[in-house]
Amino acid sequence: MTAPESAQPSEAPQPPRAPASPGPFGARLRRALDDRGPLCVGVDPHAALLAAWGLDDDVAGLERFARTVVDALADRVAVLKPQSAFFERFGSRGIAVLERAIADARSAGALVLTDAKRGDIGSTMAAYAAAYLDPGSPLFSDAVTVSPYLGFGSLRPALDAARAAGSGVFVLALTSNPEGAEVQRATAGDGASVAQTVLDHIARENAGARPLGPVGAVVGATLGETGADLAVNGPLLAPGLGAQGATAADLPRVFGDAVRNVVPSISRGVLGRGPSPRALREAAAREADALREVLG
């Protein structure tokens, strides 16, 4: 397979600063989903996918991949979700590629959800918040994924930073990996599951926000009936569609009355059509149309 044409990577790319967030995240996300279709495309440049695209597993291949995806999709999909780990594995040059991808995608109109799954306490959590949610940071994103399993209160620096910047956070609640149940389905002293406790915290953070609050939950689309109250007045990121087995038709069963707030996330189902930009765009359009039929 022929690799897509692109400029050679620079030694130290300096990404343009993307615009600050014009308004609350929940309102911007609702507008993007309504205008562009209910689709989040993951940007996951793992080694096997780079090889499938005819690219080397190095910084040059990473940069060519990221530029191709952003150029093909950022002006038409609602959300792009770069997985930070696949950039971090190349060190500082990989992070530089991520910085440019974030800035270019936001400049083209896509919302960028950086999938970093950060979670810590005190000044360390504040530093993570500054990295992804401070408008002055080169990694500044419209939203970031975070882990609540040091206690929901440990996320306070990120929650406050997101609110101040007009950004969002997506909190891991009911993930699609089987191991997640060990923690998420465990029960607290009041009999509620850990996942429900997290969801209740999210609902309190979003109270009174319209049309959506800035705090979302990550809930796997492969889970079937969750038995949880997903009415958190915030977006529900739903990984697991496509290669992991879930389909658009599964979403009403998983999310029930909250299905309108779902942000379906697909990676390989779109990226596997590359490296042709046209094929990427066609795949994203098909997925968005299928999801729109279910979600409205």
Side-chain angles (χ1 to χ4, degrees), residues 6-215:
S6 177
Q8 292 300 311
S10 58
E11 287 299 319
Q14 298 297 316
R17 286 295 169 88
S21 302
F25 175 71
R28 294 189 296 117
L29 178 61
R30 179 77 274 158
R31 185 165 58 248
L33 296 171
D34 291 346
D35 292 349
R36 294 186 169 202
L39 179 63
C40 167
V41 176
V43 185
D44 299 348
H46 53 76
L49 188 54
L50 293 178
W53 278 36
L55 299 171
D56 291 332
D57 187 22
D58 58 17
V59 175
L62 175 74
E63 184 174 19
R64 192 170 293 185
F65 177 93
R67 287 187 179 182
T68 301
V69 174
V70 170
D71 289 348
L73 300 180
D75 65 344
R76 62 195 62 216
V77 302
V79 184
L80 286 178
K81 182 173 69 67
Q83 168 48 257
S84 181
F86 293 122
F87 296 83
E88 293 174 33
R89 69 192 183 102
F90 293 106
S92 62
R93 293 188 69 197
I95 293 297
V97 174
L98 177 60
E99 291 173 0
R100 180 172 289 278
I102 291 171
D104 288 350
R106 296 189 71 237
S107 294
L111 299 183
V112 173
L113 165 57
T114 298
D115 194 357
K117 298 183 177 70
R118 300 303 193 229
D120 215 306
I121 60 173
S123 60
T124 308
M125 191 67 232
Y128 283 136
Y132 300 101
L133 300 170
D134 183 336
S137 169
L139 289 168
F140 177 61
S141 305
D142 295 285
V144 65
T145 55
V146 296
S147 172
Y149 297 111
L150 288 174
F152 195 89
S154 68
L155 301 179
R156 180 52 54 195
L159 299 171
D160 291 346
R163 200 175 298 274
S167 294
V169 297
F170 283 83
V171 184
L172 303 180
L174 281 163
T175 56
S176 55
N177 62 306
E179 304 87 350
E182 295 178 6
V183 174
Q184 296 157 15
R185 300 284 188 175
T187 55
D190 61 359
S193 69
V194 171
Q196 188 60 62
T197 299
V198 170
L199 292 164
D200 291 345
H201 279 294
I202 293 171
R204 285 192 286 272
E205 292 291 326
N206 290 330
R210 294 290 181 272
L212 290 172
V215 185

